[in-house]
Amino acid sequence: MILQLFKKKKEFTLQRTYGAPIATVWDAWTQAEMLQQWWGPKNTFVPECRIDPAVGGEVFVVMQAGEGMGKYAGTRWPMAGTFTRVDPVTRLTYDARSWTDGQESTTTIEHTNDITLSEQDGQTTITLEVTITSIGDKAKMAAFGMKFGYKAQLDKLADQLSG
């Protein structure tokens, strides 16, 4: 019980509505070639991505900083996870860990992502719930920035779906 007092969870929820059918938004989350087009905030790209959207299936995404990220250019942030819930076109849940390449022992962030999709009148609403359960000693700033990063990538998804 004392351990629980010191173990802080960080949780946040984001919600966005897109002018696209639910199947298209689902594909953007579950097809590697589509996810690579929008994952990560501005000035990042995804050189590696594997997704097997089935319970027990893998999600592996490497986000890399581009030239626009100044001193971080070239830095890679892998994320490896396992799907724990897959309800086709309506819900995806995965447990994952993210880290800075080459610094895994001190920069790992463990998190659960729960994505719920619903459609009404041709619009799809995504609710993304993120629970951070563990933060490495040198990952506190990255964990703090995760909400901003997810907001930015959901903006990129909006651009992708409207283009």
Side-chain angles (χ1 to χ4, degrees):
M1 178 133 173
I2 292 174
L3 286 176
Q4 271 188 321
L5 294 174
F6 294 105
K7 184 177 180 181
K8 291 183 181 177
K9 279 188 193 176
K10 178 181 168 72
E11 300 175 323
F12 59 88
T13 301
L14 300 173
Q15 191 170 67
R16 290 282 165 81
T17 300
Y18 301 100
I22 196 168
T24 302
V25 179
W26 175 264
D27 288 348
W29 279 92
T30 59
Q31 293 182 10
E33 59 281 351
M34 289 183 74
L35 187 134
Q36 283 181 284
Q37 301 302 311
W38 63 269
W39 189 270
K42 187 177 174 187
N43 296 314
T44 64
F45 62 97
V46 176
E48 294 178 52
C49 183
R50 295 186 303 272
I51 300 174
D52 177 13
V55 172
E58 170 190 46
V59 56
F60 180 77
V61 180
V62 176
M63 185 175 65
Q64 185 168 330
E67 294 301 317
M69 290 198 68
K71 69 178 184 175
Y72 296 105
T75 302
R76 293 166 54 97
W77 297 283
M79 181 191 77
T82 304
F83 287 102
T84 57
R85 180 174 180 166
V86 179
D87 300 338
V89 305
T90 60
R91 192 155 181 197
L92 280 172
T93 306
Y94 60 90
D95 292 330
R97 57 189 178 80
S98 303
W99 65 94
T100 301
D101 208 14
Q103 301 173 42
E104 190 169 354
S105 65
T106 57
T107 64
T108 296
I109 300 169
E110 294 177 2
H111 49 100
T112 298
N113 294 16
D114 186 27
I115 302 114
T116 305
L117 291 82
S118 62
E119 184 177 24
Q120 186 173 352
D121 300 326
Q123 305 266 320
T124 300
T125 298
I126 289 178
T127 302
L128 169 63
E129 296 178 62
V130 178
T131 303
I132 299 171
T133 55
S134 176
I135 302 170
D137 292 342
K138 293 186 177 177
K140 288 175 179 44
M141 189 68 115
F144 180 78
M146 279 179 79
K147 186 174 183 178
F148 167 79
Y150 276 111
K151 281 181 177 181
Q153 76 184 31
L154 291 176
D155 289 345
K156 282 174 64 178
L157 176 57
D159 294 343
Q160 181 71 22
L161 291 170
S162 67

